[in-house]
Each structure stands twice: as C-alpha cells, then as structure tokens.
Amino acid sequence: MLTIDLTNKVIVVTGGGTGLGRVMTEHFIRCGAQVVICGRRETVLRETAQALGPAVHAYSCDVREWESVDNLLSRVVKDLGRLDAIVNNAAGNFLAASETLSSRAFRAVVDIVLMGTFHMSRWAGAYWIENRQPGHILNIVTTYTDTGCAFVLPSASAKAGVQALTLSLAYEWAPYGIRVNAIAPGPFPTEGAWSRLMPGRDFEEQYKKRLPTQRYGRPEELGALAAFLLSDLAPYLTGAIIPIDGAERLQGAMFNYLAQITDRDTLKAAFAALKAATRKE
Ligand code: COA
C-alpha cells in the first residue's frame, strides 16, 4: 500500500488556523510533518495549535508585509531547524458588484492573496537556493483563474496572478529542485468562505443544482491531495494547476450564476447584508 510520508518535514501553512488551511494542517501532521500555522489572529492560531497537538506551531504573521514574513521564516528556520514547504493558503474574498468596489477593497484582497504569496515564495526560494536544498511551494488558487469570475473581481485578478507566479517559478526554479504547484479547489464550504460567498439559502439551492457530482467537496479530499503533492511520491510533479471540484468549473465561472438568477438590486442588497455580517466597522 502506498502511504504518504511527510516525516520530519517542516511545512508552513499561511492562514492555517481555520478552514481549509486547518484541514491541510491536520493531514500533514497525520503524515508525520511538523506544521507551522501562521496568520493575523493569534487567539485562533493558539486554539488550533492546542487542539491539534505538539506537531503544530503557531506563529503570528501578516503575509501582506515583507518584514513580517522575513521575521516569521527566519524564526521558523531558527526554532525548527529546517524549512521544506510553504503552503500559500491565506486569502481574502467577498462578493461585490465590481462598479461599487473601492480602491482599498480591491487592494485588501490583492495584498493578502498576491503580495502574500509573493513574499512567502520569494523568501523560501532564496533560502533553498542559497542552502542548496530542495523545497516545495504549494499555492491555493481557484477554478476561475482562467475564466475570470463575476462579483469576485479582486479575487479573480489576484488568483490569476498567483497562477502566473506558480507557472513562472516552477520553470525558473526547477533546476534548483524547487517544485511549485497549485491546487484549484471548487466548492468546499467552510465557515469563513461561505459566510462571505453565499448570499442566502435560496442562492445556495440554485448553486447546488449546478454541481455535476451533486455534492460539495469533502475537506479530507483536499487534505489528501495537498499531502500527496508535498510528499516524495510526486518528485516530477511541478508547474501543475490541479483542480479539485467534481468538474463544477466546466459549467462556467463559480459566481456567474448569481447574475442569472436575480436582478442586480437584489444582489447588491444581499452583498451588503453579507458585508455587514462579516465585517466589524
Ligand atoms: N464588500 C465590499 N467591500 C468590502 C467588503 C465587502 N464585503 N469587505 C471589506 N470591504 C472593503 C472595506 O469597505 C474597505 O474599503 P473602504 O475603506 O474603501 O471602505 C476595504 O475592503 C478594506 O476593508 P478592511 O476590513 O479594512 O480590510 P482587511 O484587510 O482587514 O480585510 C478582507 C480584508 C476584506 C478580505 C476581509 O474580509 C478579510 O480579512 N478576510 C480574510 C478571510 C477571508 O476573506 N476568507 C475568505 C476565504 S474564501
């Protein structure tokens, strides 16, 4: 039987305190890894580390800031003695009509998703090259990076940038033994994502109807794929963008359906309610 073995590997998961980042962390430690989870909310990180046990190490970090990333990864190398993989999972997303987006709103998402991924990748790549070590960068993109997507313009733009970064670095750093891949998850409902991206039960009913497998993704399916990609079972796998979505993307970009099922004013009201529910003014 093939088993995924990540024994002794040190893996850093950005946004690892909650949602799919936490799910991946659980899988990595089950395969023997030491996992550093990082994010902006220390309490959440501490709670997750406590719940998952001593193989999980919580560090606070704001991936939008180079100094914060520099500080985090220097400490990881010093405290844990090595660095094997980075999982760029931290993200920001919300539904909004694009003509209403402020400059700050667009930037808020781009800073986390694209700048954050760049900062982590830049630091780790330089470290591995300088130390003549192999390494792996695993980015989390979406199924709409090729198509664009209505009502999530900042995320579609930033994730398309992360996809370009993935492909660019995979080629450039292949001679150093650094693999760079991306997973493009489809519908995996987590509290963080669904509270921002599902404007209510009626919308969800419509959304579910378009799922060809008639079900959402199960978190463990994503965790298993991520663990496999980071393992020594996949040494020739680099420069890949791997969708895991039950073929949902083949119907068209994820949130385009919203424009088809109701009028724009209803949508804008639903988006405003989501914003109020998920954001402290
Ligand atoms: N619709 C429209 N604009 C929004 C918004 C929404 N739902 N939520 C935030 N914004 C705007 C704010 O109004 C603000 O712009 P303004 O100053 O012009 O009003 C700007 O975005 C920044 O908001 P702020 O809350 O200060 O930014 P932040 O950096 O703390 O938050 C977000 C970033 C907006 C992405 C926030 O939702 C976040 O941190 N999310 C992390 C988790 C997440 O999104 N997970 C989703 C996984 S799918």
Side-chain angles (χ1 to χ4, degrees):
M1 197 176 77
L2 275 184
T3 51
I4 297 175
D5 182 9
L6 300 174
T7 308
N8 294 329
K9 287 191 193 292
V10 172
I11 301 169
V12 178
V13 181
T14 67
T18 53
L20 296 179
R22 177 175 169 150
V23 169
M24 287 188 278
T25 298
E26 285 171 16
H27 272 71
F28 299 156
I29 58 173
R30 231 175 273 149
C31 299
Q34 296 287 314
V35 182
V36 171
I37 56 172
C38 62
R40 284 182 283 174
R41 292 177 297 159
E42 276 182 47
T43 322
V44 173
L45 294 169
R46 263 203 309 276
E47 280 167 10
T48 300
Q50 231 157 35
L52 298 187
V56 177
H57 312 267
Y59 287 68
S60 85
C61 175
D62 184 344
V63 295
R64 299 173 300 183
E65 304 295 335
W66 169 253
E67 291 70 23
S68 182
V69 167
D70 185 22
N71 181 40
L72 164 77
L73 294 178
S74 306
R75 281 177 58 206
V76 167
V77 170
K78 188 161 162 277
D79 296 350
L80 300 178
R82 55 188 290 161
L83 173 65
D84 297 281
I86 300 284
V87 180
N88 285 309
N89 162 75
N93 200 359
F94 51 77
L95 290 169
S98 297
E99 68 273 19
T100 67
L101 284 170
S102 72
S103 172
R104 276 171 47 88
F106 192 87
R107 188 188 299 269
V109 174
V110 171
D111 274 353
I112 301 170
V113 173
L114 183 54
M115 293 309 295
T117 300
F118 167 71
H119 290 149
M120 297 292 292
S121 307
R122 160 71 176 77
W123 198 101
Y127 173 80
W128 290 322
I129 291 167
E130 192 184 330
N131 290 283
R132 297 174 192 278
Q133 272 174 230
H136 192 188
I137 296 166
L138 179 58
N139 294 325
I140 306 300
V141 293
T142 79
T143 49
Y144 50 73
T145 43
D146 286 331
T147 56
C149 187
F151 309 120
V152 285
L153 183 71
S155 167
S157 307
K159 293 282 191 181
V162 173
Q163 180 161 310
L165 179 149
T166 305
L167 301 174
S168 308
L169 292 181
Y171 193 91
E172 188 174 337
W173 289 350
Y176 300 108
I178 298 169
R179 295 193 291 124
V180 190
N181 290 301
I183 295 178
F188 284 82
T190 60
E191 209 282 312
W194 249 226
S195 65
R196 293 177 169 86
L197 302 175
M198 201 47 79
R201 194 161 290 204
D202 294 350
F203 291 94
E204 185 163 17
E205 287 308 314
Q206 298 290 332
Y207 180 75
K208 275 184 174 164
K209 281 189 196 149
R210 41 173 270 137
L211 300 177
T213 51
Q214 292 170 11
R215 71 166 175 90
Y216 290 135
R218 299 184 183 111
E220 63 272 18
E221 295 171 307
L222 184 88
L225 174 61
F228 166 75
L229 286 172
L230 294 190
S231 77
D232 295 335
L233 293 172
Y236 202 49
L237 216 168
T238 189
I241 311 292
I242 302 173
I244 177 166
D245 71 335
E248 188 252 9
R249 73 194 176 286
L250 302 175
Q251 285 222 22
M254 200 179 274
F255 299 105
N256 286 357
Y257 82 102
L258 289 170
Q260 292 154 16
I261 63 173
T262 190
D263 63 275
R264 210 45 72 104
D265 288 342
T266 307
L267 276 181
K268 285 185 179 174
F271 296 164
L274 276 184
K275 179 178 180 182
T278 55
R279 185 160 180 273
K280 292 192 206 79
E281 293 296 340

